[in-house]
Amino acid sequence: MFPSSIVDDDQLSLIGRRMAAFGALPIIGGYYLVLGGGKIGTDFARYAKERSFPFVVIIDIDEKAEASGISAVVGRERLLGLISDYRESGYSPEEVYFHCMDVRDITEILDAGIPEFIIPAVPTHAVVNMAIDMLDTIASKPLILSSHIDEQDAGLNTYFSTILSGIPRDLVVFSSASDGVIMLSYARKGEICPDNCMGPENYCYSFKREKPETITADVRKLLFSHRGFVFESCQMKPGIGGIKGEDFKEHMLSIMGYVKAVNEKRDKHSAEDRFFFIATTCNCHGIMNLLEVVG
């Protein structure tokens, strides 16, 4: 049985309008949005400066994050103006900017335009948080629950188990049914990938290991039998990956559309239709979260 609906027609209409507005947003070429200003974010900032990337924005909740020391620090109004100006002209006075903000407020930044690349550099599953936050800004109550699996929900537990069984066991480095999370890697316990690794597709030179398929390819196989959305992280530089803005936009629109469809035709969907997963993957590593449409 589905939970009692908390989504009324007005909220469904709001989701539809949000999808239309999000779908109309342009992809801004040369714009890189880095989520996190710690070690990885700072490394990317230096890399961007060395290669004169045209427009890089780094956000972090800590105003004293390391990346702030090598970037032009700007407030919210100034940042939104810079994004708008760059979108129109392709020019920015500085190449790398830092803005102190909670990543949960990312919707306001994205509404100014979708970056060509989004570089997750935070210790959480960034795209899952963004999907939830984008839906939470629409509805008065959350539409998606991703934190814990109800141990009494047999359907939810079965769904998690079937996903886990569809992944080669030697790639699973951590899984938690109660948290609905699976972490995947070609690196094994105690192995730490070097910072300069290029993440080749077929062979791990760091640990002398064959890789029959990339993590991305293995996770995408699940899409034949399970509802899911796979965000591929492409190599930006050794040790740092980024998600293409066009892929991010397409997947986010699909997620919003799926949540809307489940709520619109709740009586015609099976109970299992309320489950899906979001994964972020690259050649060597991946993280998956099981989510549930609870509206």
Side-chain angles (χ1 to χ4, degrees):
M1 295 291 292
F2 280 107
S4 299
S5 177
I6 59 173
V7 182
D8 56 28
D9 290 341
D10 288 341
Q11 288 176 322
L12 289 173
S13 178
L14 284 172
I15 297 175
R17 290 200 293 272
R18 175 59 178 156
M19 290 176 63
F22 192 78
L25 291 174
I27 307 295
I28 305 175
Y31 168 25
Y32 300 79
L33 178 61
V34 184
L35 310 180
K39 177 184 176 181
I40 295 175
T42 304
D43 186 16
F44 187 81
R46 292 195 178 99
Y47 181 78
K49 282 175 171 285
E50 290 170 0
R51 285 156 180 77
S52 299
F53 282 21
F55 188 58
V56 178
V57 174
I58 302 172
I59 61 174
D60 196 292
I61 196 171
D62 180 4
E63 64 180 4
K64 296 181 179 179
E66 185 179 355
S68 67
I70 60 171
S71 311
V73 179
V74 295
R76 182 70 56 89
E77 186 175 348
R78 173 66 173 148
L79 175 60
L80 294 175
L82 285 164
I83 296 172
S84 178
D85 291 344
Y86 178 78
R87 185 179 64 195
E88 296 299 323
S89 68
Y91 169 76
S92 180
E94 301 282 348
E95 295 169 347
V96 180
Y97 297 89
F98 178 88
H99 176 60
C100 179
M101 64 172 285
D102 191 333
V103 177
R104 290 184 178 276
D105 298 331
I106 194 68
T107 299
E108 184 177 357
I109 304 300
L110 294 176
D111 281 347
I114 307 296
E116 182 177 358
F117 281 96
I118 296 174
I119 296 90
V122 289
T124 59
H125 194 174
V127 293
V128 167
N129 293 336
M130 284 191 281
I132 294 171
D133 295 338
M134 288 174 69
L135 284 163
D136 278 355
T137 63
I138 300 169
S140 59
K141 295 182 180 180
L143 296 181
I144 294 179
L145 176 68
S146 66
S147 57
H148 295 285
I149 290 180
D150 182 354
E151 293 182 358
Q152 305 303 314
D153 191 325
L156 200 55
N157 281 278
T158 297
Y159 184 86
F160 181 85
S161 297
T162 58
I163 286 180
L164 193 59
S165 66
I167 303 169
R169 291 299 301 170
D170 58 349
L171 297 182
V172 179
V173 296
F174 175 81
S175 66
S176 170
S178 60
D179 294 319
V181 63
I182 301 171
M183 299 182 71
L184 311 168
S185 181
Y186 270 107
R188 293 169 185 165
K189 187 176 181 180
E191 296 178 340
I192 300 176
C193 298
D195 290 340
N196 64 348
C197 181
M198 288 299 293
E201 289 187 16
N202 302 314
Y203 186 78
C204 174
Y205 292 94
S206 298
F207 305 118
K208 308 297 187 291
R209 188 167 299 139
E210 296 286 345
K211 301 195 304 188
E213 297 207 69
T214 65
I215 297 290
T216 299
D218 270 316
V219 174
R220 281 181 173 160
K221 288 180 180 179
L222 294 170
L223 299 178
F224 291 104
S225 55
H226 295 79
R227 172 69 62 174
F229 305 89
V230 182
F231 293 75
E232 182 177 10
S233 180
C234 305
Q235 195 89 16
M236 304 297 296
K237 67 175 293 293
I240 297 180
I243 298 165
K244 291 180 180 179
E246 58 186 351
D247 293 341
F248 174 82
K249 180 179 178 179
E250 177 185 348
H251 288 327
M252 285 297 178
L253 283 171
S254 296
I255 291 168
M256 286 188 278
Y258 186 69
V259 171
K260 183 173 182 287
V262 170
N263 278 289
E264 283 177 330
K265 300 180 179 180
R266 185 169 292 274
D267 58 334
K268 297 180 181 179
H269 283 275
S270 67
E272 289 73 21
D273 285 335
R274 72 184 192 269
F275 311 137
F276 66 96
F277 70 84
I278 291 178
T280 300
T281 62
C282 65
N283 289 344
C284 312
H285 312 285
I287 180 170
M288 303 174 63
N289 279 89
L290 173 60
L291 294 97
E292 177 184 8
V293 181
V294 297

